[in-house]
Amino acid sequence: TLFRSVGDFEGASKAGRNFAERCRKVGAIVDNYKPVPKQVDSFLGECYNYVTKTRYLTTKTLDKIRYTREHLLNGPLTNRQVAAIFGLIFFSAEVSQLPLCHLFQLMKWYRSAMSTAGERWNDTIEVSSAIRDQLRFWLETLEKNPEVSMYDDRAESTEADITLVIDACETGWGCVSTTESGTQYYGAPWSPADHKAHFLFSSVASEPLGAWRAIHRCVSTQHKKVVIYTDHLPQVYAMQRGIAKAQSYNDLLCFLKEEYPMVHFEFRFIKGCDNHDADALSRFGKVIEQRVKSAE
C-alpha cells in the first residue's frame, strides 16, 4: 500500500495516523521486521558486492555479451550495431578492468570505420572475418566476468617505492632511479638491432622504448607504486588514458600490464629543462651504471 500527502507537517501526520488506523482495522502488520543491509546491489549493468568489496557485470549485461558473440556477429552489421557492440565492450572492459591497450587493433579499425559512417547509421558496414574473430575473442574474455576490487588501494598510497626520471633520444636512453637506499643512474645507447626494429629518430618510438628499458632495469614485481617523470607529454597522456593512437605507447602499456600486473604506475610530466640528468645519460653513448649512496 502506498499513500502520499502533499501539504504541511500536520497534514502528513494526519494521513499517517489514518493509514495506521486503517491497517489496524484490517489486521495488516506494518514494519514488523528487522531491516537487513544489502550485501549485493546492481546499478546500470554492474553489480556491487559490499561484503567482498568487489564489482562485476550483471546477468543482463552478460546476456548481451553472449547474444552478440553467438548470434549478432554471425550476420550482416550496420554502423549502429557496430557502435553498440563497441559501446558494450568499452563498458564491460571498464567494469572488468580489461586494459584497452589490448584492443589497439580493434580500436584502429573502429576509428576508421566510424569516421566514414557519417549519419548513415542504418547502412550495412563491411566487417572482415578477422575483425569478427577479434570481437568474439574479447567478448568471450569479458564473459568470464571476474570480480574486481571496487577501488585500487595501490593508487591511494602517497609514497612511491621507487621514482624514475627518464629520457630518450635517437642516441640512447637514460634514467635516474631513486629509492630509500639511494639514487642510481643508468643509461645505454641503442643497439643496431634497436635501430633496425624501431625508427628511433622519432620520439614516438624512442621515448616508450626508453621507458621500457628503464622500467625493466629498475622495477621489480615486489614494488607496489612507481612514479615515473618524463618530459614527453604524449607518453604521459597515453599512460593516464590507458590507450593511445600510436602502437609504441600501447606496446608499453601491454608490457606494464603483463609483466607488472600488481604494480601501480603513475606517469607525470617534467619540463625538459628540469630533466637534464636523464637527458645527459641518454646522450653519453656508452653504458652507464653508477650508484650514489644516500646520506646517512
Side-chain angles (χ1 to χ4, degrees):
T1 304
L2 177 66
F3 72 93
R4 185 179 70 172
S5 174
V6 179
D8 56 14
F9 177 78
E10 289 299 328
S13 298
K14 182 178 179 180
R17 290 193 297 269
N18 291 338
F19 175 73
E21 179 64 20
R22 214 175 290 123
C23 290
R24 187 187 63 78
K25 289 181 179 179
V26 300
I29 300 175
V30 181
D31 292 336
N32 193 30
Y33 67 92
K34 294 182 179 180
V36 179
K38 275 189 174 183
Q39 294 185 350
V40 179
D41 202 0
S42 60
F43 182 70
L44 296 179
E46 56 184 313
C47 288
Y48 302 90
N49 190 316
Y50 302 116
V51 177
T52 60
K53 295 194 171 45
T54 54
R55 57 198 287 239
Y56 48 92
L57 299 172
T58 61
T59 302
K60 185 176 181 180
T61 303
L62 291 174
D63 289 340
K64 293 179 180 178
I65 293 174
R66 190 174 300 108
Y67 176 81
T68 301
R69 181 175 59 84
E70 295 179 354
H71 302 286
L72 196 59
L73 287 177
N74 293 330
L77 294 171
T78 64
N79 289 315
R80 187 184 303 276
Q81 288 174 320
V82 168
I85 291 173
F86 274 85
L88 176 63
I89 290 177
F90 294 154
F91 169 77
S92 303
E94 193 276 330
V95 175
S96 302
Q97 294 184 7
L98 173 68
L100 288 179
C101 56
H102 294 311
L103 308 177
F104 179 68
Q105 297 301 329
L106 275 179
M107 292 284 287
K108 284 183 61 178
W109 177 85
Y110 178 67
R111 184 165 54 247
S112 174
M114 291 297 101
S115 66
T116 59
E119 299 296 327
R120 302 186 301 273
W121 288 107
N122 295 320
D123 288 3
T124 302
I125 183 174
E126 181 66 28
V127 183
S128 68
S129 58
I131 294 296
R132 291 175 186 265
D133 288 342
Q134 289 187 55
L135 287 170
R136 289 191 186 95
F137 173 79
W138 290 115
L139 288 169
E140 187 175 357
T141 300
L142 293 168
E143 202 173 335
K144 296 176 182 177
N145 197 23
E147 293 191 22
V148 299
S149 176
M150 289 185 185
Y151 60 93
D152 188 354
D153 55 0
R154 298 169 301 169
E156 291 183 355
S157 172
T158 56
E159 296 293 332
D161 300 311
I162 181 172
T163 299
L164 305 180
V165 183
I166 62 176
D167 200 5
C169 61
E170 71 278 3
T171 307
W173 64 274
C175 170
V176 180
S177 170
T178 304
T179 62
E180 290 183 352
S181 59
T183 302
Q184 296 178 350
Y185 298 82
Y186 301 102
W190 303 123
S191 67
D194 291 331
H195 279 285
K196 185 176 181 180
H198 309 277
F199 184 68
L200 297 173
F201 292 96
S202 169
S203 60
V204 175
S206 61
E207 293 285 356
L209 183 60
W212 183 92
R213 295 286 169 82
I215 292 169
H216 184 73
R217 180 63 185 82
C218 303
V219 179
S220 75
T221 55
Q222 302 303 313
H223 289 123
K224 292 183 178 180
K225 183 174 181 179
V226 180
V227 175
I228 299 176
Y229 290 91
T230 173
D231 57 15
H232 189 58
L233 200 53
Q235 182 162 258
V236 176
Y237 288 153
M239 298 302 110
Q240 291 177 349
R241 292 181 59 203
I243 192 169
K245 295 181 180 180
Q247 179 71 58
S248 55
Y249 302 126
N250 284 275
D251 288 342
L252 177 59
L253 283 162
C254 291
F255 163 73
L256 297 181
K257 295 294 183 181
E258 293 169 2
E259 298 296 326
Y260 303 94
M262 301 306 294
V263 181
H264 175 74
F265 288 91
E266 183 176 319
F267 280 74
R268 301 177 184 176
F269 177 71
I270 183 174
K271 292 182 179 179
C273 58
D274 297 327
N275 196 22
H276 43 77
D277 287 343
D279 178 75
L281 291 168
S282 70
R283 300 177 188 276
F284 276 167
K286 60 180 180 180
V287 179
I288 300 169
E289 182 172 331
Q290 180 183 356
R291 179 184 177 89
V292 179
K293 293 184 178 179
S294 59
E296 294 294 336

